[in-house]
Amino acid sequence: MKDTATESMIQAVSDRLESFGFVVHKVVGVNQTILGAIGDKRSVEPSEFEVMEGVHEVLRITVPYKLASRTFHPENTVIEVKCASFGGEQVSVIAGPCSVESEEQMYTIAREVKKNGGRGLRGGAFKPRTSPYAFQGMGEEGLRIMQTIGEELGMPVVSEIMEINQLDLMLRYVDILQVGARNMQNFSLLRELGTIRKPVLLKRGLAATIEELLMAAEYIMSGGNYQVIVCERGIRTFETYTRNTMDISAIPVTQKLSHLPIIADPSHGTGRRAKVAPMARAAVAAGANGLIIEVHHDPDRALSDGAQSLYPHQFQRLMEELRMIAWAIGKHI
Ligand code: PEP
Ligand code: MN
C-alpha cells in the first residue's frame, strides 16, 4: 500500500482479497503496510487490485516461501527475548552445555556464559542421540533446572523440543523452543509450533537446502507464529575431517532471501573444539544475527558433545574477539 493509504483503504483491499479466497497476512512497516495474500494465484489478476485506492504495487511472490520471503517483508524481523535480540544491531550469543546434566553443572556453566556477555542459555533436556543407548537427557527435571537458573541470571533459555507431546511441558519452562536438525522437516511438529506465540529456533537439516530451511520456517509462520530464528549448523558433505561442513555462505544468502534472523552453530557445524572459535568469528564477520555455542567446564566428562564444547576460558577469549569483529561491521555483542 502507498505510505499515504488510509486504514479504510487498506481494509478495503484486505476484504477484497479475502473475498477471492486469499488468507491475508498484514505487515505494518515503518513507512508502508504490506498485505500478503496467500492462496491460488490463478484466481486473480494483479491489475484488479492495482486500480484500487491506496495501492502502491501488486507483486507476485514467485518463491514457494511467502511469509518468510523478504519480498513480502522487506525490513528485518527483530526477535527480542529478555536480554537477547536477533535481527537488529545486536549479535546475541547463546551458550551452554549440549545437555543439562545436573543443577551444579548448569549453574557453573551458566555463570561463565553470563559473565562473558552471553545473552541466552542453551541446554538439551530431550536429546536426539544417534545411538539409543547414549544419554537421552534429563527430561522435565533438566528443564526445571534451566528455568530456575535462567530466571536467576535474567537470561532466556533455549531447549530442544523433539515431539509434539512435549509442547505443553516445554512452554512452561522454556523461552525459545529449538527444533533440531533431525526434525527440520517434521511437518506436523512445525505446524504445531505455528500455533504458539513463543520464538522458535529452527536448525537447518543435515542435508537441507536453504530453500527447504525457509520452507520449514514457512510451515511455522503459516500458523501465525512469525517469531522464527533460523540456524546454520553445518550440512553433510563428502568431507569427513569435520563432523559437518559449516556453510558460512548460507548466512548472507538467507538474509538476502528472507527477513528472518539467522544465527550460526559452530559447535555442531564443526564437531571439533579447536575449530569452533574460527568458525564463530567467520559467522559474525559474515553477518550472523547470533551464535549458539556449546560450553562445558569439564568437557572430558560431558554426557554429550564434549569434544566440541569450549572450555570457559576459550569462550571468554572468543567473546572478546567477537566484540571487535561485531564493532568492525557496525554491530555489538
Ligand atoms: C544440539 O543443539 O545439541 C543439537 C542436537 O543440534 P542439531 O539438531 O543441530 O544436531
Ligand atoms: Mn550438542
Side-chain angles (χ1 to χ4, degrees):
M1 302 297 296
K2 289 179 181 153
D3 55 2
T4 52
T6 63
E7 221 21 75
S8 66
M9 291 175 196
I10 294 169
Q11 194 56 49
V13 176
S14 174
D15 291 347
R16 184 126 192 268
L17 285 166
E18 279 175 359
S19 75
F20 277 90
F22 288 102
V23 175
V24 179
H25 293 260
K26 182 171 160 186
V27 179
V28 182
V30 182
N31 300 314
Q32 266 187 317
T33 294
I34 297 177
L35 298 172
I38 311 255
D40 184 357
K41 62 179 188 225
R42 282 163 306 186
S43 62
V44 68
E45 273 307 311
S47 56
E48 297 181 51
F49 287 88
E50 255 151 14
V51 295
M52 289 184 75
E53 224 181 348
V55 173
H56 170 66
E57 195 179 16
V58 182
L59 288 176
R60 273 213 167 128
I61 301 180
T62 47
V63 287
Y65 44 90
K66 315 279 181 200
L67 302 172
S69 160
R70 203 176 267 286
T71 320
F72 170 60
H73 190 298
E75 289 146 26
N76 286 346
T77 284
V78 182
I79 297 174
E80 320 242 3
V81 205
K82 296 189 178 165
C83 61
S85 168
F86 304 90
E89 277 172 16
Q90 181 174 302
V91 181
S92 296
V93 179
I94 300 165
C98 178
S99 302
V100 188
E101 298 166 9
S102 69
E103 184 143 10
E104 199 193 349
Q105 171 247 19
M106 196 67 214
Y107 202 61
T108 306
I109 299 168
R111 268 194 314 235
E112 291 289 339
V113 171
K114 170 88 184 177
K115 186 180 86 194
N116 292 302
R119 292 188 181 265
L121 211 51
R122 65 150 289 147
F126 299 102
K127 295 304 300 178
R129 304 305 300 281
T130 303
S131 165
Y133 309 116
F135 175 60
Q136 304 286 306
M138 283 183 78
E140 182 168 3
E141 175 63 4
L143 296 175
R144 192 195 59 73
I145 290 172
M146 280 194 80
Q147 183 182 52
T148 309
I149 296 173
E151 274 174 7
E152 186 180 326
L153 300 179
M155 295 168 94
V157 299
V158 183
S159 200
E160 176 168 351
I161 175 167
M162 280 179 59
E163 304 171 25
I164 294 176
N165 65 19
Q166 292 163 350
L167 187 57
D168 288 340
L169 186 68
M170 298 296 293
L171 287 173
R172 283 208 296 279
Y173 292 105
V174 170
D175 301 293
I176 302 176
L177 285 83
Q178 174 175 326
V179 175
R182 291 152 196 83
N183 260 323
M184 190 207 83
Q185 284 189 316
N186 181 340
F187 298 120
S188 44
L189 176 63
L190 298 178
R191 271 208 196 286
E192 209 57 37
L193 293 170
T195 65
I196 64 165
R197 292 297 174 264
K198 269 195 178 178
V200 175
L201 173 57
L202 176 65
K203 293 189 128 192
R204 182 177 183 180
L206 293 118
T209 62
I210 295 170
E211 181 166 301
E212 285 162 343
L213 171 62
L214 292 175
M215 288 307 289
E218 189 80 10
Y219 259 93
I220 300 170
M221 299 174 82
S222 67
N225 184 2
Y226 303 124
Q227 297 191 83
V228 182
I229 303 161
V230 299
C231 178
E232 164 59 38
R233 48 78 72 205
I235 47 174
R236 272 283 160 86
T237 67
F238 49 79
E239 182 53 66
T240 54
Y241 188 92
T242 43
R243 180 177 175 181
N244 292 292
T245 297
M246 192 153 150
D247 181 8
I248 299 280
S249 66
I251 297 161
V253 171
T254 303
Q255 287 169 335
K256 179 179 185 333
L257 299 174
S258 176
H259 54 89
L260 296 174
I262 177 165
I263 69 169
D265 175 348
S267 309
H268 296 88
T270 62
R272 288 174 173 247
R273 183 179 304 132
K275 303 293 170 270
V276 171
M279 294 314 270
R281 296 192 299 253
V284 172
N289 300 112
L291 293 170
I292 181 162
I293 299 176
E294 288 181 345
V295 175
H296 201 290
H297 64 298
D298 188 5
D300 289 344
R301 272 189 276 265
L303 296 180
S304 59
D305 287 349
Q308 66 191 33
S309 298
L310 295 185
Y311 286 95
H313 72 272
Q314 293 177 309
F315 179 68
Q316 176 179 1
R317 177 83 219 270
L318 174 61
M319 290 297 279
E320 285 162 11
E321 294 166 344
L322 294 177
R323 262 180 219 112
M324 293 186 270
I325 296 171
W327 175 83
I329 56 169
K331 294 187 180 175
H332 58 93
I333 295 285

